[in-house]
Amino acid sequence: MNTTPKILVVDDEKDLREILQFNLSSEGFEIDVAASAEEALALPLENYHLILLDVMMGGMSGYKMADLLRKEKALDIPIIFLTAKGSENDLLTGFNVGGDDYIVKPFSIKEVVVRIKAILKRGKMTEQASTVLEYQGLQLDISRKMTSLDGEPIKLTRKEFEILAMLMKNRGKFISRQEILDRIWSDDVIVTERNVDVNIARLRKKIKDYGTVIKGRSGYGYCFDS
């Protein structure tokens, strides 16, 4: 089984792409490159362990791509932003859209390698603890986006899966409909709290007897009351 970390470099500067590809390959990483966010989004991004993402590119920006990955595609791949902009506001924007680190150009290859290894190491330490959520016979495999009920796989929509994962990660805590909307539905999609109720109703039916564990309370929202 190939365990070599696979990294995607997304940058519209050809020279920088080539420099990063050559040097990071020399460090033992498997490197693919894309010249734009649009080109990167056509790739099977779930196969990568980390993305090095330029902020300022022609067409879609790195911030927009990261926001799309987090909100619409629900991918948790670590993202390191590469940018010539290093103000506090730029840093905050990067982290707010789901970035894990931020490297200001010009940078040394050694710095990039150290940052990459630190994030990959952190991911390995938390992977086993966070990849599977369980309650009795109900199991969610977060990394593979799979759900099983008493050992049998069941099919949930992406929204249903994300809602169930959110509730199971916050067991015993009521989460408001608005918070569910904010965290799971993209900002540019017109939805209402009714969408949450509909998805919860479908989810309860699909997980059968375990559906009774999802409690709703007027004015408070929903809770996985295990």
Side-chain angles (χ1 to χ4, degrees):
M1 180 177 176
N2 183 15
T3 58
T4 303
K6 190 172 183 180
I7 296 172
L8 176 64
V9 176
V10 185
D11 199 298
D12 59 0
E13 295 182 43
K14 182 180 179 182
D15 289 346
L16 185 56
R17 289 198 307 273
E18 293 177 348
I19 289 170
L20 287 169
Q21 184 171 32
F22 175 80
N23 285 278
L24 294 178
S25 296
S26 299
E27 290 287 336
F29 299 113
E30 182 179 345
I31 306 297
D32 288 339
V33 297
S36 67
E38 290 83 358
E39 182 181 332
L41 289 170
L43 299 172
L45 297 176
E46 64 276 5
N47 294 339
Y48 293 96
H49 296 90
L50 185 142
I51 299 175
L52 287 175
L53 181 57
D54 187 25
V55 171
M56 302 297 291
M57 294 183 286
M60 184 183 294
S61 72
Y63 290 151
K64 179 62 178 177
M65 177 179 165
D67 193 51
L68 189 151
L69 291 183
R70 297 298 190 234
K71 291 183 177 179
E72 293 188 20
K73 296 184 177 294
L75 292 178
D76 294 326
I77 306 165
I79 296 172
I80 298 178
F81 285 114
L82 304 176
T83 180
K85 302 171 66 177
S87 73
E88 183 178 357
N89 285 338
D90 295 321
L91 292 169
L92 291 175
T93 299
F95 290 123
N96 285 337
V97 297
D100 295 87
D101 205 347
Y102 203 103
I103 302 178
V104 179
K105 300 176 183 178
F107 48 74
S108 71
I109 294 298
K110 287 184 178 180
E111 178 186 6
V112 176
V113 171
V114 168
R115 300 283 190 96
I116 289 173
K117 288 181 176 179
I119 287 179
L120 293 178
K121 182 178 179 180
R122 187 169 70 222
K124 287 180 180 179
M125 291 173 63
T126 59
E127 182 178 4
Q128 291 301 318
S130 63
T131 189
V132 176
L133 300 173
E134 291 182 292
Y135 171 69
Q136 297 182 14
L138 178 63
Q139 184 179 85
L140 273 72
D141 188 321
I142 301 298
S143 60
R144 295 193 298 166
K145 301 294 185 285
M146 295 177 63
T147 310
S148 62
L149 195 64
D150 298 324
E152 295 295 324
I154 61 173
K155 188 173 182 179
L156 301 180
T157 66
R158 183 166 65 89
K159 298 300 185 188
E160 291 163 358
F161 184 91
E162 291 173 357
I163 289 171
L164 184 55
M166 184 177 179
L167 294 174
M168 290 183 73
K169 287 177 180 178
N170 295 275
R171 293 184 188 184
K173 174 186 174 183
F174 274 93
I175 302 176
S176 70
R177 290 172 175 83
Q178 188 59 53
E179 185 175 353
I180 294 173
L181 284 175
D182 290 343
R183 290 176 59 179
I184 292 178
W185 270 265
S186 175
D187 291 340
D188 58 359
V189 176
I190 300 175
V191 291
T192 67
E193 293 184 356
R194 178 62 179 161
N195 291 80
V196 176
D197 296 334
V198 169
N199 277 270
I200 291 283
R202 289 201 303 251
L203 175 59
R204 282 172 169 159
K205 288 183 180 179
K206 290 182 179 180
I207 61 176
K208 300 180 180 179
D209 292 343
Y210 295 101
T212 60
V213 181
I214 299 177
K215 308 292 186 182
R217 184 183 298 176
S218 179
Y220 289 89
Y222 290 97
C223 170
F224 194 91
D225 189 19
S226 60

